[in-house]
Amino acid sequence: MNRSHTGLHLRKLGITAVGALVVVGVTAGPAAAHAEVTASDPRALAENVTLSFASEAESESAGISELRVVLPKGIAPDAVVLKEAPKEWKLTATPDGYAVGGPALAAGTDAEYSVIVRQLPDEKSLAFKTLETYSDGKISRWIEVPTDGQKVDNPAPVLELKAAAPGAKLIAPSPSPTPSSSAPSVQAPAAPSSPVASASAEATSDKDADSTGVVVGVIAAALLLGAAGTMWWVRRNRSQT
């Protein structure tokens, strides 16, 4: 009776332990693989910060070939440059972030790389939604952002930021490139005469016309006076005769 009771008790314990292991396994399943991010200076407004990313491999038969990241608000695609990555992997800017990839890694190999960001925004946390593409075409989406402490199945890498350093300011975006001084010059067409120049030309023309009129008037008056004098002289001689 005691042996039977003891055996039953042991069987119950065994079933309970197996059940506990199953529960743990199910609970840990979604979190077995994940993507994460760390920073060399996790402070708001920090400049030239190195962000290191790590994506755990989920497949035993295919390797990761590309990671596409959606940048959080405040970080522009042109403010990110690749620092380290697997051999032959390159970074390409996209409208909302960037993609880094190349030859597929060996199956089961985690993808790790780092980028340098010109400046972190003035935020408390930054989420870097990530899409992992495998050589067999499978895509894992780590794009869920936890809210209010809730757990999600596919969490996006989130970087918690500390307060900005005293005196830290938002730097201006990179200036646009200036035109090259060696660019060929184009001669501008002759500008039409301005209203002021036209008015001056007209005034000069009128002045010349007035001067000509005065000269003609003087000559006409001289001729009239000459004619009048001649007539007077003729009449005078007639009266004396």
Side-chain angles (χ1 to χ4, degrees):
M1 222 28 210
N2 288 339
R3 274 201 238 168
S4 175
H5 180 72
T6 301
L8 179 62
H9 182 65
L10 289 175
R11 283 197 297 273
K12 287 183 178 180
L13 288 176
I15 293 172
T16 302
V18 171
L21 289 174
V22 171
V23 171
V24 170
V26 171
T27 304
H34 63 277
E36 60 183 17
V37 57
T38 57
S40 60
D41 187 3
R43 293 183 298 173
L45 300 180
E47 299 180 29
N48 299 318
V49 179
T50 296
L51 299 182
S52 299
F53 293 85
S55 292
E56 288 191 70
E58 296 180 87
S59 175
E60 296 181 357
S61 59
I64 299 174
S65 60
E66 183 185 69
L67 300 172
R68 188 178 185 281
V69 176
V70 176
L71 289 169
K73 182 180 179 181
I75 302 179
D78 62 356
V80 178
V81 295
L82 185 63
K83 183 178 181 181
E84 292 182 351
K87 187 178 180 180
E88 296 185 37
W89 277 34
K90 297 181 180 179
L91 183 145
T92 304
T94 62
D96 57 0
Y98 63 84
V100 58
L105 303 178
T109 302
D110 298 341
E112 299 181 356
Y113 72 95
S114 60
V115 296
I116 297 178
V117 177
R118 187 186 308 149
Q119 184 180 39
L120 298 180
D122 190 7
E123 300 289 346
K124 293 182 178 179
S125 64
L126 303 174
F128 297 85
K129 297 180 180 181
T130 302
L131 301 180
E132 300 174 1
T133 300
Y134 288 79
S135 56
D136 60 359
K138 177 185 175 183
I139 298 178
S140 294
R141 295 172 171 82
W142 301 97
I143 58 175
E144 297 180 90
V145 181
T147 56
D148 300 329
Q150 297 180 351
K151 292 183 178 181
V152 293
D153 293 335
N154 300 287
V158 175
L159 179 65
E160 301 294 337
L161 297 182
K162 300 177 182 178
K169 296 181 180 179
L170 186 65
I171 59 177
S174 300
S176 301
T178 56
S180 174
S181 58
S182 60
S185 60
V186 179
Q187 184 175 3
S193 57
S194 65
V196 175
S198 299
S200 176
E202 290 176 3
T204 302
S205 177
D206 293 341
K207 184 177 180 181
D208 293 341
D210 292 342
S211 300
T212 303
V214 171
V215 173
V216 173
V218 170
I219 294 174
L223 291 175
L224 288 175
L225 289 175
T230 301
M231 291 178 66
W232 175 81
W233 184 78
V234 171
R235 288 178 181 177
R236 182 173 177 275
N237 286 339
R238 287 180 181 176
S239 65
Q240 288 180 354
T241 305

